[in-house]
Amino acid sequence: MTTKQLETDASPAAAIGTAALAIVTAAVSLTIGPTDDYARIFPPRWLTFIAAALLVAALLAERSAAPPRRRRGGGVLGWAAAVFFFGASGGVILDGFRAFFRATGIPAGDFATVDWPGALARAASLLAALATVLWTSRLRARKERTPEGTRPATSTFMRTALAWSAVAFTVPYPLLKLVWWAQDASGRAAADRAGFPVMELLAFGAALLLVLLLTSSLPLPLPAWLLITGGWISSMALLSMGFLMVFGLLAQATGVAAGSVSFTSGGATLMVSCVYATWLLLGLVTLVATLVFVDDRRSRRAQLVERADAIRAGEPHAERTAAE
């Protein structure tokens, strides 16, 4: 089996394996039930089963349909599966913070308790979401390859659009926290004032810088592996939190899950929705920027290999192209 075949087969295998892990952990967590009240407001665990069913349908569509429809149908179902896996993972970031306080012993009150069965299930769903995104993006890459075997370079317009979108989606939440801090500083007693949003500014500033580096056409000051790792971690965290809002509010609005959002207050619901929507959209931008960066690196490597092979074959045109 060739290296290319191994790469093609590894991606669906990883998606299937992580989906199976997500199903098992979700079934266990449903059997046990939430072990802490905070987990009751999260999206229902059975979203994992919907996501897994969509993934199976995507794999079957990719294997059995005619080539043009295969990529289209498998891709649509694959992205839908990823969305439901992200929904099922909603709350895993909060689980991580709670586990941190539990492990370090830093006083945090009830925030140091963890719903371990649910936390493991949500973590498995996020891992399955990552594997599903990787497999689905591989379908997209195969569809867009040129006859020479590489994807065309990302356009300047696409890079610029991603960079400005990151700016647009990075500003609202830290700005809101700054406004709240300024209002508290001028109208409340010192003991009741909200702290200066240092962490929010640092986190969203780092996310913006990451997207700008991923979409830059200039030589980068950081190693590529570090940017790619940061892109995957940031996009997974932001998408999980963003889809927590989407599926969480839907579950609360329909009565599937008990929640703390009062739907009699349209202003509060709109505020929560807008805040988490920026997280979701910033996660999408970061994910696309990461995929674009990875695809462009693969394309450049393939072009260099092709030129080197042509030079070794003695093609003068390839020598001139490599020199340029």
Side-chain angles (χ1 to χ4, degrees), residues 33-42 98 110 113-115 258-259:
T35 59
D36 203 281
D37 285 340
Y38 81 89
R40 298 183 187 280
I41 68 172
F42 291 158
R98 287 173 170 271
D110 292 340
T113 60
V114 185
D115 170 37

Side-chain angles (χ1 to χ4, degrees), residues 201-280:
L201 291 172
L202 288 176
F204 279 79
L208 175 59
L209 178 61
L210 176 62
V211 174
L212 294 179
L213 290 173
L214 288 170
T215 56
S216 175
S217 57
L218 301 176
L220 300 177
L222 297 173
W225 67 265
L226 184 61
L227 293 176
I228 295 172
T229 302
W232 283 119
I233 293 175
S234 299
S235 61
M236 293 299 105
L238 287 165
L239 287 170
S240 179
M241 289 298 293
F243 280 112
L244 167 62
M245 180 273 297
V246 174
F247 287 94
L249 287 181
L250 286 175
Q252 293 174 35
T254 57
V256 173
S260 58
V261 177
S262 175
F263 288 94
T264 59
S265 173
T269 303
L270 179 62
M271 177 67 70
V272 172
S273 300
C274 289
V275 167
Y276 282 98
T278 60
W279 295 19
L280 175 61

Side-chain angles (χ1 to χ4, degrees), residues 6 32 67 73 93:
L6 284 172
I32 297 175
I93 306 302

Side-chain angles (χ1 to χ4, degrees), residues 124-138:
S125 291
L126 185 59
L127 185 61
L130 172 60
T132 302
V133 166
L134 288 171
W135 175 74
T136 308
S137 65
R138 184 67 59 84

Side-chain angles (χ1 to χ4, degrees), residues 14 19 60-61 71 101 106 147 196 214 245 253 294 299 303:
L60 292 175
R71 300 186 182 100
F101 287 115
I106 298 175
F196 186 79
L214 288 170
M245 180 273 297
V294 171
S299 178
Q303 290 173 359

Side-chain angles (χ1 to χ4, degrees), residues 13-170:
I16 293 170
T18 53
L21 177 63
I23 290 173
V24 171
T25 53
V28 171
S29 69
L30 281 171
T31 302
I32 297 175
T35 59
D36 203 281
D37 285 340
Y38 81 89
R40 298 183 187 280
I41 68 172
F42 291 158
R45 300 292 333 128
W46 44 259
L47 288 176
T48 301
F49 305 136
I50 298 177
L54 288 169
L55 177 60
V56 171
L59 290 165
L60 292 175
E62 193 274 337
R63 293 288 182 182
S64 61
R69 296 175 56 191
R70 174 189 308 171
R71 300 186 182 100
R72 188 182 305 115
V76 170
L77 290 169
W79 289 120
V83 167
F84 276 89
F85 274 129
F86 278 122
S89 76
V92 67
I93 306 302
L94 301 178
D95 291 326
F97 280 115
R98 287 173 170 271
F100 170 78
F101 287 115
R102 179 68 178 270
T104 59
I106 298 175
D110 292 340
F111 203 71
T113 60
V114 185
D115 170 37
W116 288 112
L120 292 174
R122 287 183 282 274
S125 291
L126 185 59
L127 185 61
L130 172 60
T132 302
V133 166
L134 288 171
W135 175 74
T136 308
S137 65
R138 184 67 59 84
L139 292 182
R140 176 184 59 86
R142 287 214 306 264
K143 180 180 178 181
E144 297 179 2
R145 287 186 191 279
T146 63
E148 289 78 17
T150 61
R151 294 186 66 250
T154 306
S155 66
T156 302
F157 174 80
M158 178 68 168
R159 293 176 181 275
T160 304
L162 288 171
W164 280 110
S165 296
V167 172
F169 301 140
T170 301

